[in-house]
Amino acid sequence: VADEYAVAVVAVLVVFTLAGGGLIYTTYVAPGTETTEEVLAEWETTGEYTHSATVTNGTAVFPLGATLSDRSVYYTQIAPILDTEFRYGFTGADGELNVEGETTLVIRSVDDGGDGDSTEFWRQERRLDTFSGTVAAGETVSSTTSVNVSAVAAEVEAIQEGLGASPGTTEVRIRTAVSATGDIAGGSESYQSTHALTLEPGGGTYTVETPEPAGETDQRTRSVTSERSYGLPRRVGGPALLRVGLLGLAGFAAAPYRDPLRATAAER
């Protein structure tokens, strides 16, 4: 069989030899280089709301002056004024940001279509607070506001009576727009973001939907070029292929002189 397919076997051995030599060359002689990104610093900007309401009409279960904090439902009759605080800052790297922002009360009537489109019937906006400050890592700048939910509900009712109709769904939101610029981890950065807290006035209660703290994650990187390295299979595979190829070719070269590949007449 070896005699009959000698050309094919030799061709395979030649391929093994060339492949082994190529692997040895690219692994040990000229492995080349690779470029990776090294993270120098990483940081995160965050905007977060907290809220509370002070009891102004005491009851047996909620005494006068008690503070109710970060609840999903408040009682309109005993604590109609919602106090909110929005905090903005960053953590994770050295630097400084100059922050400016504005908090607005947005009341609107909107109809969300089933296909993703929405129709706004009316909107009213009222500025509640403006704020600014310079923050370092771990510090925050804040905006504090107070909203009389009973007055907002009465305002919505008056608007609807004035229009003679109440199409859509009424939304009440405390919205904070933030602009921040500065230097973090040795580079210039700029951020623009909008955050919102949703109120839903009801008959005797109102609900507050607090969003999860939202922000952006950034990092400073640099490109690092290094000599490419290979794993054990390639470091061992190259010499093994070369050895198999060379030994095989040497064996085939010597075989005709010893005539081991053909059966003798006696053997036949």
Side-chain angles (χ1 to χ4, degrees), residues 6-73:
V7 175
V9 174
V10 169
V12 171
L13 292 173
V14 169
V15 171
F16 280 5
T17 303
L18 295 177
L23 287 175
I24 291 174
Y25 180 80
T26 56
T27 302
Y28 295 98
V29 180
T33 60
E34 59 182 356
T35 301
T36 58
E37 294 295 320
E38 179 183 359
V39 178
L40 300 176
E42 190 171 29
W43 65 92
E44 181 181 11
T45 61
T46 56
E48 180 180 9
Y49 284 100
T50 57
H51 50 83
S52 62
T54 302
V55 176
T56 56
N57 298 302
T59 66
V61 291
F62 296 109
L64 179 66
T67 300
L68 311 178
S69 301
D70 296 320
R71 298 168 63 97
S72 59
V73 177

Side-chain angles (χ1 to χ4, degrees), residues 16-17 19-25 27-28 232-244:
F16 280 5
T17 303
L23 287 175
I24 291 174
Y25 180 80
T27 302
Y28 295 98
L232 183 62
R234 178 159 178 164
R235 296 200 305 269
V236 174
L241 286 176
L242 181 63
R243 182 172 299 177
V244 170

Side-chain angles (χ1 to χ4, degrees), residues 113-179:
D115 55 357
D117 295 331
S118 62
T119 301
E120 185 177 84
F121 297 104
W122 54 265
R123 169 190 286 260
Q124 189 174 58
E125 296 188 11
R126 182 166 65 250
R127 179 186 296 172
L128 299 177
D129 183 43
T130 58
F131 61 96
S132 62
T134 300
V135 295
E139 299 177 347
T140 60
V141 60
S142 63
S143 170
T144 56
T145 62
S146 296
V147 175
N148 190 322
V149 181
S150 296
V152 170
E155 187 176 353
V156 171
E157 186 176 351
I159 292 174
Q160 292 174 344
E161 289 180 356
L163 295 174
S166 55
T169 302
T170 303
E171 291 183 351
V172 181
R173 291 183 176 178
I174 297 174
R175 186 185 65 194
T176 304
V178 179
S179 174

Side-chain angles (χ1 to χ4, degrees), residues 75-246:
Y75 297 95
T76 308
Q77 182 172 336
I78 66 170
I81 298 177
L82 181 71
D83 299 318
T84 67
E85 182 179 17
F86 174 80
R87 294 188 296 271
Y88 184 88
F90 73 97
T91 57
D94 293 333
E96 197 172 72
L97 283 178
N98 299 313
V99 183
E100 294 183 354
E102 179 179 89
T103 301
T104 307
L105 177 65
V106 180
I107 309 172
R108 67 173 190 159
S109 179
V110 63
D111 179 22
D112 292 325
D115 55 357
D117 295 331
S118 62
T119 301
E120 185 177 84
F121 297 104
W122 54 265
R123 169 190 286 260
Q124 189 174 58
E125 296 188 11
R126 182 166 65 250
R127 179 186 296 172
L128 299 177
D129 183 43
T130 58
F131 61 96
S132 62
T134 300
V135 295
E139 299 177 347
T140 60
V141 60
S142 63
S143 170
T144 56
T145 62
S146 296
V147 175
N148 190 322
V149 181
S150 296
V152 170
E155 187 176 353
V156 171
E157 186 176 351
I159 292 174
Q160 292 174 344
E161 289 180 356
L163 295 174
S166 55
T169 302
T170 303
E171 291 183 351
V172 181
R173 291 183 176 178
I174 297 174
R175 186 185 65 194
T176 304
V178 179
S179 174
T181 58
D183 292 329
I184 299 179
S188 179
E189 299 293 336
S190 177
Y191 300 98
Q192 305 285 334
S193 59
T194 301
H195 312 262
L197 180 147
T198 302
L199 305 178
E200 292 185 11
T205 62
Y206 59 94
T207 61
V208 181
E209 183 180 337
T210 309
E212 294 293 329
E216 298 181 50
T217 300
D218 262 328
Q219 57 183 209
R220 184 86 60 220
T221 62
R222 69 174 180 179
S223 297
V224 178
T225 301
S226 59
E227 187 177 89
R228 184 179 285 111
S229 61
Y230 299 95
L232 183 62
R234 178 159 178 164
R235 296 200 305 269
V236 174
L241 286 176
L242 181 63
R243 182 172 299 177
V244 170
L246 291 177

